[in-house]
């Protein structure tokens, strides 16, 4: 199969997945497995790759995401146990007393927690720090979980520009410069992004308040309907008020370890946390087994989605399909528009993020576009900055980024609702940062 046909196959596969997800035809895991299988069959039938090679591609894809799947399983279990023991209830009640019915204060708090939590550059850890802490407050004030996710991903997209963040490091690697040097150039755009993220929190807090959210709200939020609830009697039976201080310390230790012990796998930290939480709070294998089963359904659903996404991405990445897609997109660039390449790619970064995972975007698409830009005298750094800043805004709404499923799983929101709420807003944020970059001279053409 030619490179052009491989690119066409890749575009068709991604469009098919996005269509299946947005139309609610099936659950994400089936969509990824089905389209991944169909793509594999086409590659084998056309003798582009053998069955053995396709098997290796699938193994590589699953290997890339198995850590995220394990992380989700044990993080859901850990925070589920902390919820069972009543730790969050006491914290929430204290926060609600401080904030009262100040819905805007809650959204601003969400933004600040997400920004601080993302200082380590890890999307999964930020979701794990922010969502379990804030979601119960949103429920109590009858605020929509999609708003929580929108504020989170806006703040995370801005903070992900730090030099130790994945996108900036990848772009710097392609350019052959230090990540810190690249970051210093884009700081004005990041500052603008931080202001926009805070503005996002204030604006959507105002929107939620106008809807009637608050401590005495009578709103019914359908988005929470799929989240599991426990009865009042069962909650009292599971609560461990005498162990509140211990559980808070344990939770803080887990969160600090996620940031400080970056050499250890995040899922291992949660494994240890779960073991300690179960042993201290619930004695006896029967009760421990019951608590694990209580949280098994949500953990299994999202872990299976992440693993299935790994199968799909493994087929597209390892087969070279994504690289051919990148080349095809670059080849469509009209010669007359060559010098405007950073602007064009900046504007299109959010839609492209829905099709390209982070590695394919920076290691596949960026080198090709730099080569195209060189022919028109475009500074490679300007192209890279436009791609890094503008794409980052939409990183955690992309259906081809595994951490996205961790976030929506923790918030109890489906992928369709998440994309529907965030896509347009994040595209506007992206373009706003691009405009700031142009006016401040960070990006020139």
């Amino acid at each position: 199969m030619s490179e052009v046909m491989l690119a066409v196959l890749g575009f068709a596969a991604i469009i098919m997945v996005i269509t299946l997800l947005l139309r609610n035809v099936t659950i994400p895991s089936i969509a990824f497995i089905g389209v991944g299988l169909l793509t594999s069959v086409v590659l084998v039938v056309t003798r582009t790759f053998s069955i053995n090679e396709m098997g290796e591609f699938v193994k590589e894809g699953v290997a890339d995401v198995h850590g995220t799947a394990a992380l989700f399983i044990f993080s859901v279990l850990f925070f589920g146990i902390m919820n069972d023991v009543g730790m969050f209830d006491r914290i929430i009640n204290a926060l609600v007393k401080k904030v009262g019915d100040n819905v805007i204060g809650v959204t601003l708090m969400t933004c600040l927690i997400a920004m601080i939590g993302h200082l380590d550059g890890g999307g999964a850890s930020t979701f794990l720090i922010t969502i379990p802490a804030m979601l119960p407050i949103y429920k109590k004030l009858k605020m929509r979980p999609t708003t929580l996710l929108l504020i989170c991903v806006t703040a995370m997209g801005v903070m992900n520009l730090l030099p130790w963040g994945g996108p900036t490091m990848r772009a710097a690697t392609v350019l052959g410069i230090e990540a810190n040097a690249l970051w210093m150039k884009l700081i004005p755009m990041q500052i603008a992004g931080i202001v926009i993220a805070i503005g996002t929190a204030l604006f959507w807090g105002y929107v939620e308040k106008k809807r009637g959210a608050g401590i005495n709200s009578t709103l019914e939020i359908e988005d929470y309907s799929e989240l599991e609830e426990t009865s009042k009697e069962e909650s009292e039976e599971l609560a461990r008020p005498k162990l509140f201080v211990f559980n808070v310390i344990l939770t803080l230790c887990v969160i600090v370890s996620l940031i400080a012990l970056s050499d250890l796998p995040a899922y291992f930290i949660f494994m240890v946390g779960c073991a300690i939480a179960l042993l201290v709070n619930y004695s006896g294998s029967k009760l421990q087994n019951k608590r694990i089963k209580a949280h098994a359904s949500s953990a299994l659903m999202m872990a299976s989605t992440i693993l299935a996404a790994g199968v799909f991405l493994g087929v597209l990445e390892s087969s070279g399909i994504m690289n051919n897609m990148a080349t095809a997109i670059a080849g469509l660039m009209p010669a007359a528009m060559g010098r405007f390449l950073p602007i064009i790619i900046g504007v299109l970064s959010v839609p492209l993020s829905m099709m390209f995972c982070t590695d394919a975007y920076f290691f596949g698409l960026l080198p090709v576009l730099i080569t195209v830009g060189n022919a028109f005298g475009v500074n490679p750094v300007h192209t890279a900055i436009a791609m890094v800043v503008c794409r980052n805004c939409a990183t955690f709404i992309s259906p081809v980024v595994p951490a996205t499923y961790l976030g929506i799983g923790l918030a109890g929101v489906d992928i369709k609702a998440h994309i529907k709420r965030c896509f347009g807003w994040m595209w506007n944020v992206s373009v706003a940062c691009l405009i700031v970059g142009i006016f401040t001279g960070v990006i020139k053409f």
Side-chain angles (χ1 to χ4, degrees):
M1 188 179 291
S2 67
E3 292 182 353
V4 173
M5 290 306 298
L6 283 172
V8 170
L9 178 61
F11 286 120
I14 289 176
I15 291 171
M16 195 181 302
V17 166
I18 292 174
T19 301
L20 290 172
L21 294 179
L22 295 185
R23 290 183 175 273
N24 287 331
V25 175
T26 184
I27 60 176
S29 57
I30 294 178
F32 283 123
I33 292 172
V35 177
L37 175 62
L38 183 60
T39 305
S40 299
V41 169
V42 172
L43 292 173
V44 172
V45 169
T46 57
R47 297 185 179 181
T48 306
F49 296 100
S50 67
I51 294 178
N52 287 338
E53 287 175 316
M54 294 310 303
E56 289 300 317
F57 296 162
V58 170
K59 288 180 182 178
E60 290 173 10
V62 172
D64 287 340
V65 301
H66 77 274
T68 302
L71 171 62
F72 187 86
I73 291 172
F74 287 96
S75 64
V76 165
L77 179 56
F78 178 79
F79 287 114
I81 294 169
M82 291 301 104
N83 188 56
D84 292 339
V85 299
M87 185 193 76
F88 288 122
D89 286 339
R90 288 186 61 172
I91 295 174
I92 291 158
N93 290 335
L95 287 174
V96 170
K97 286 180 180 178
K98 291 282 186 181
V99 179
D101 59 354
N102 189 345
V103 174
I104 297 176
V106 171
T107 55
L108 184 58
M109 186 189 306
T110 303
C111 180
L112 296 177
I113 292 174
M115 283 184 176
I116 294 170
H118 206 64
L119 286 173
D120 68 339
S125 61
T126 306
F127 279 134
L128 291 166
I129 291 168
T130 310
I131 295 178
M134 299 305 299
L135 184 63
I137 301 176
Y138 275 66
K139 291 179 67 175
K140 195 156 192 172
L141 297 180
K142 300 297 177 65
M143 298 165 67
R144 291 170 293 184
T146 48
T147 299
L148 167 58
L149 278 172
L150 173 59
I151 295 169
C152 270
V153 299
T154 305
M156 292 163 66
V158 172
M159 297 305 294
N160 211 31
L161 296 172
L162 292 169
W164 52 85
T168 303
M169 290 184 67
R170 286 176 174 88
T173 300
V174 172
L175 290 171
I177 63 176
E178 291 292 330
N180 196 55
L182 179 61
W183 176 62
M184 293 294 288
K185 296 179 184 295
L186 57 80
I187 285 177
M189 297 174 74
Q190 185 175 31
I191 292 173
I194 291 172
V195 173
I196 292 171
I198 294 172
T200 296
L202 296 174
F203 174 79
W204 283 100
Y206 176 78
V207 171
E208 289 290 339
K209 186 175 180 180
K210 290 290 288 185
R211 288 183 66 254
I215 193 67
N216 297 314
S217 175
T218 57
L219 285 173
E220 292 186 8
I221 309 298
E222 294 181 0
D223 296 21
Y224 291 118
S225 60
E226 295 183 2
L227 297 180
E228 295 182 5
E229 300 287 347
T230 56
S231 65
K232 185 177 180 180
E233 293 76 13
E234 186 179 2
S235 296
E236 292 176 352
E237 181 183 340
L238 295 172
R240 298 291 186 268
K242 294 181 179 180
L243 294 172
F244 174 74
V245 174
F246 169 81
N247 286 315
V248 169
I249 293 174
L250 175 61
T251 302
L252 289 174
C253 286
V254 168
I255 292 173
V256 170
S257 297
L258 288 172
I259 299 171
L261 303 178
S262 56
D263 290 336
L264 287 177
Y267 57 81
F268 176 70
I269 293 172
F270 275 105
M271 283 179 177
V272 174
C274 285
I276 296 173
L278 282 170
L279 285 170
V280 174
N281 289 286
Y282 302 111
S283 59
S285 61
K286 186 176 181 180
L287 188 54
Q288 292 168 358
N289 193 43
K290 185 178 179 181
R291 297 326 307 149
I292 292 175
K293 287 182 177 179
H295 302 289
S297 60
S298 58
L300 178 61
M301 176 61 75
M302 290 314 303
S304 65
T305 297
I306 292 169
L307 291 172
V311 171
F312 177 71
L313 294 175
V315 171
L316 264 62
E317 288 184 57
S318 299
S319 65
I321 285 178
M322 280 199 171
N323 285 335
N324 287 312
M325 290 167 62
T327 303
I329 289 175
L332 296 175
M333 181 70 62
M337 302 295 290
R339 72 187 188 94
F340 299 105
L341 180 62
I343 311 303
I344 295 171
I345 195 63
V347 171
L348 296 178
S349 284
V350 171
L352 289 174
S353 72
M354 307 300 284
M355 295 186 288
F356 290 95
C357 66
T358 306
D359 284 334
Y361 186 82
F362 288 105
F363 293 134
L365 186 58
L366 178 56
V368 175
L369 291 176
I370 286 176
T371 302
V372 173
N374 288 337
F376 298 99
V378 176
N379 189 330
V381 173
H382 295 165
T383 301
I385 289 175
M387 291 184 70
V388 170
V389 177
C390 298
R391 192 265 184 190
N392 251 18
C393 295
T395 296
F396 300 107
I397 67 172
S398 173
V400 294
V401 173
T404 298
Y405 295 96
L406 178 63
I408 64 175
L410 291 170
V413 174
D414 63 52
I415 187 70
K416 176 183 177 180
H418 181 48
I419 294 175
K420 183 177 179 181
R421 169 59 68 86
C422 297
F423 183 83
W425 184 269
M426 299 312 301
W427 201 351
N428 287 327
V429 172
S430 175
V431 172
C433 289
L434 178 64
I435 292 172
V436 170
I438 294 170
F439 278 100
T440 57
V442 175
I443 296 175
K444 299 177 181 178
F445 56 94

